[in-house]
Amino acid sequence: MYLSRFLSIHALWVTVSSVMQPYPLVWGHYDVCKTQIYTEEGKVWDYMACQPESTDMTKYLKVKLDPPDITCGDPPETFCAMGNPYMCNNECDASTPELAHPPELMFDFEGRHPSTFWQSATWKEYPKPLQVNITLSWSKTIELTDNIVITFESGRPDQMILEKSLDYGRTWQPYQYYATDCLDAFHMDPKSVKDLSQHTVLEIICTEEYSTGYTTNSKIIHFEIKDRFAFFAGPRLRNMASLYGQLDTTKKLRDFFTVTDLRIRLLRPAVGEIFVDELHLARYFYAISDIKVRGRCKCNLHATVCVYDNSKLTCECEHNTTGPDCGKCKKNYQGRPWSPGSYLPIPKGTANTCIPSISSIGTPPKFNRIWPNISSLEVPNPKQVAPKLALSTVSSVQVANHKRDCECFGHSNRCSYIDLLNTVICVSCKHNTRGQHCELCRLGYFRNASAQLDDENVCIECYCNPLGSIHDRCNGSGFCECKTGTTGPKCDECLPGNSWHYGCQPNVCDNELLHCQNGGTCHNNVRCLCPAAYTGILCEKLRCEEAGSCGSGSGQGAPPHGSRALLLLTTLLGTASPLVF
């Protein structure tokens, strides 16, 4: 009886635990890099994949505003209350601590009682756009592990872009667009993360979900990291093996959740109406009370500790690795190519430890020689040449010299000496590099100026917009070659006179030069919506003229001949110079 009761209680506890536990215990925390185990040979080290704990990354960031003087209070100014936009007796004064709203209040820990927040100047220079860039920098590669959450003290902006950088702010890529009207603001159809799938999880979307204008109870904007994880790990993130497998094998997916910097681009404040109230411009401003960014230092699964010293984050590397991200093997530990650790198999993963170099343990270094393709040298009889090449030997001193000449900057550990050409080259360059010494970037990638040549992130993908660029290659600054009518570093913007519609297309109509005629309206710059009686690109033709039925009593016929002559005369007189009597 006691046994059956115990089993019932145990089954109940397992059921309750499975419901209450948001993340399973079985996928491992990867919080240990090595442990000692006993084998037949005695006590040895067992190495495992490991990573730092996820933490609040806002403690380590630096914030920068552009323009630098956009914060309110210098000079002091009044602004309208959030709850009552016509009660404009609140004051911002940078010289008074109680009335100041500096940028650091976006990251303080006072909570919301009392509420502290950063605030911009008001839109007093309307119609000049009120735009602010807020850049968050870590000077370190980090991996995001939870949703990015931005809490506004003002209304959520009508238009905003969240951007990321992988090269310390040198180039930027959009993460997500936010707008009250995505089609009007960014020429994109509105979507939410729920509209994505495993195959489209990397798609950059515009969402209207968080831009509801000037409302007091809707202050938060999310960038959904966990919802994207859930496409692989399930709604409650229980199948982490699937997610880890994808992160291990799909570099673009891993890079999607990796950043060195984030940038919040505030493009238009919350208006709440169709038109801006020019008599009460103190209603319009940006105010942010909190930004949450959770993540961990990227250490390539070779460290559990990331220290913050001298305003800089650094991995304390294990597994005989070194570098800011543990991205290369230590000196004398280059017996095989460096490789990041692997999450699989769960729960320990694979450490991929760097092993001692052969030369560092007393054995003479070996040099794997790869003979050239004889046929490519246009030798008429390869059999006559191959034995001579094969018999060609190099003394140990010469081998050492060739080994030193084969510098691959850590992107390959295989070198080939071609006797016929007296040349040493690197073989199978990694990290998107190429060249004799792996010193160049592959096509479709460009040089990361902020990284050393031996950094695994030395080459950055161009990310040229396939609809706006001529090809997927870019120049040394990361700028792509754009199609006609397209501009921007990634060819994702349109020149004046063009609009985005599966690439930049010339405007059919607009509100400046190409007006729709006869009461027609321009729809998204791609066509005129004409009244029933008119047709043509700009609604310039009577519909009955195409049918040949004008003047046949249809009610929409052409004017009589006399009326046409009078209309023509009136037009000519209207455009002629005034007569002088």
Side-chain angles (χ1 to χ4, degrees):
M1 181 179 70
Y2 292 109
L3 179 60
S4 61
R5 182 178 298 176
F6 172 77
L7 293 176
S8 299
I9 294 173
H10 181 264
L12 178 63
W13 169 249
V14 169
T15 303
V16 172
S17 298
S18 66
V19 173
M20 296 181 63
Q21 179 68 30
Y23 306 111
L25 297 176
V26 296
W27 39 271
H29 297 289
Y30 302 99
D31 53 358
V32 177
C33 291
K34 61 183 179 181
T35 183
Q36 284 191 321
I37 59 174
Y38 290 92
T39 67
E40 294 179 355
E41 300 176 356
K43 190 186 294 186
V44 297
W45 286 110
D46 181 28
Y47 295 96
M48 296 161 282
C50 52
Q51 63 187 5
E53 202 172 313
S54 176
T55 186
D56 178 9
M57 299 305 297
T58 59
K59 296 181 291 185
Y60 310 112
L61 62 78
K62 294 179 181 177
V63 61
K64 175 186 174 184
L65 300 185
D66 183 30
D69 58 350
I70 194 63
T71 301
C72 69
D74 186 16
E77 62 176 316
T78 58
F79 61 94
C80 303
M82 175 71 181
N84 187 345
Y86 297 102
M87 187 174 291
C88 302
N89 57 358
N90 294 285
E91 187 176 0
C92 179
D93 185 351
S95 62
T96 305
E98 293 80 10
L99 301 176
H101 298 283
E104 53 266 25
L105 295 184
M106 289 186 278
F107 313 102
D108 65 331
F109 298 95
E110 287 188 10
R112 305 202 36 91
H113 302 289
S115 177
T116 58
F117 53 92
W118 163 82
Q119 182 174 312
S120 74
T122 57
W123 204 357
K124 52 184 177 290
E125 294 186 13
Y126 176 85
K128 180 182 177 182
L130 179 61
Q131 297 182 347
V132 184
N133 287 345
I134 303 173
T135 304
L136 315 179
S137 302
W138 284 272
S139 299
K140 172 77 178 75
T141 311
I142 67 169
E143 297 170 328
L144 301 174
T145 59
D146 206 338
N147 295 351
I148 298 171
V149 184
I150 306 170
T151 304
F152 284 84
E153 192 64 22
S154 62
R156 296 183 292 193
D158 281 356
Q159 296 177 16
M160 184 189 109
I161 307 175
L162 179 65
E163 297 179 325
K164 61 171 282 190
S165 176
L166 271 170
D167 55 3
Y168 306 98
R170 187 163 176 262
T171 60
W172 295 92
Q173 307 159 27
Y175 237 167
Q176 192 151 292
Y177 294 85
Y178 302 81
T180 53
D181 188 337
C182 287
L183 199 59
D184 179 65
F186 302 115
H187 308 291
M188 299 172 69
D189 292 324
K191 288 186 178 181
S192 70
V193 176
K194 296 175 183 176
D195 298 320
L196 302 178
S197 67
Q198 281 192 11
H199 304 293
T200 61
V201 68
L202 303 183
E203 181 182 343
I204 308 302
I205 65 171
C206 178
T207 180
E208 298 176 356
E209 190 173 350
Y210 300 108
S211 302
T212 54
Y214 206 93
T215 54
T216 56
N217 296 322
S218 301
K219 296 185 175 183
I220 296 177
I221 282 180
H222 286 260
F223 178 69
E224 303 89 342
I225 298 290
K226 284 189 173 179
D227 286 351
R228 287 171 166 84
F229 285 167
F231 287 121
F232 305 98
R236 297 180 64 83
L237 304 185
R238 293 191 171 277
N239 186 14
M240 291 301 291
S242 174
L243 173 62
Y244 287 153
Q246 291 292 332
L247 291 173
D248 267 355
T249 58
T250 311
K251 186 177 186 298
K252 285 189 175 181
L253 181 66
R254 189 168 67 247
D255 287 348
F256 185 82
F257 301 108
T258 304
V259 303
T260 59
D261 308 75
L262 291 170
R263 183 164 69 183
I264 303 165
R265 294 182 59 195
L266 306 172
L267 303 180
R268 180 180 171 88
V271 174
E273 303 93 7
I274 298 176
F275 301 104
V276 174
D277 184 359
E278 297 186 41
L279 299 178
H280 300 88
L281 293 176
R283 296 174 53 185
Y284 309 118
F285 54 87
Y286 305 107
I288 297 178
S289 61
D290 191 43
I291 297 178
K292 283 185 168 53
V293 182
R294 287 193 67 84
R296 61 170 60 92
C297 291
K298 179 184 177 182
C299 301
N300 286 299
L301 295 178
H302 289 309
T304 58
V305 178
C306 189
V307 296
Y308 187 65
D309 188 30
N310 293 325
S311 300
K312 189 175 182 180
L313 286 165
T314 308
C315 298
E316 288 195 346
C317 301
E318 301 275 358
H319 304 158
N320 301 318
T321 61
T322 186
D325 299 338
C326 306
K328 57 184 179 180
C329 292
K330 285 182 178 180
K331 186 178 180 181
N332 297 328
Y333 285 89
Q334 298 172 354
R336 64 183 177 194
W338 174 91
S339 179
S342 170
Y343 285 112
L344 302 177
I346 289 176
K348 290 184 177 182
T350 305
N352 291 328
T353 306
C354 292
I355 63 175
S357 305
I358 296 176
S359 58
S360 69
I361 55 177
T363 305
K366 295 181 180 180
F367 192 76
N368 295 327
R369 299 170 63 185
I370 299 179
W371 304 117
N373 186 341
I374 302 302
S375 61
S376 67
L377 300 177
E378 300 183 357
V379 177
N381 188 355
K383 293 183 179 180
Q384 294 179 358
V385 179
K388 294 181 180 179
L389 284 172
L391 292 172
S392 175
T393 58
V394 183
S395 67
S396 60
V397 175
Q398 289 175 314
V399 169
N401 290 336
H402 294 317
K403 190 71 175 180
R404 285 196 297 270
D405 292 340
C406 187
E407 171 57 67
C408 303
F409 297 103
H411 304 302
S412 174
N413 73 331
R414 292 187 61 203
C415 304
S416 302
Y417 174 61
I418 304 175
D419 282 351
L420 204 62
L421 303 177
N422 192 28
T423 300
V424 179
I425 63 171
C426 298
V427 177
S428 302
C429 295
K430 298 184 299 182
H431 309 142
N432 303 307
T433 61
R434 64 183 177 90
Q436 181 178 352
H437 301 291
C438 303
E439 79 281 12
L440 304 175
C441 290
R442 286 171 46 199
L443 295 180
Y445 292 78
F446 68 100
R447 171 71 192 279
N448 183 355
S450 61
Q452 298 295 324
L453 270 175
D454 58 355
D455 194 316
E456 67 165 340
N457 296 312
V458 69
C459 292
I460 306 169
E461 191 166 359
C462 292
Y463 287 112
C464 298
N465 189 302
L467 298 176
S469 61
I470 295 176
H471 42 64
D472 62 355
R473 301 186 295 278
C474 56
N475 64 15
S477 300
F479 283 78
C480 305
E481 187 176 353
C482 301
K483 296 178 181 177
T484 302
T486 313
T487 187
K490 306 303 175 188
C491 302
D492 53 3
E493 302 172 20
C494 293
L495 291 168
N498 297 268
S499 298
W500 190 271
H501 185 71
Y502 299 103
C504 291
Q505 309 295 337
N507 289 345
V508 173
C509 58
D510 56 36
N511 296 319
E512 297 174 359
L513 298 176
L514 301 171
H515 290 275
C516 297
Q517 302 174 21
N518 297 309
T521 57
C522 186
H523 178 67
N524 293 336
N525 301 112
V526 296
R527 64 189 178 97
C528 289
L529 301 177
C530 302
Y534 292 91
T535 185
I537 295 176
L538 297 175
C539 307
E540 75 279 9
K541 298 179 182 178
L542 282 166
R543 191 176 297 275
C544 63
E545 288 182 347
E546 290 190 345
S549 59
C550 290
S552 60
S554 61
Q556 58 177 2
H561 293 293
S563 299
R564 283 184 176 177
L566 180 60
L567 179 61
L568 177 60
L569 179 60
T570 304
T571 304
L572 291 172
L573 289 174
T575 58
S577 302
L579 299 175
V580 180
F581 295 96

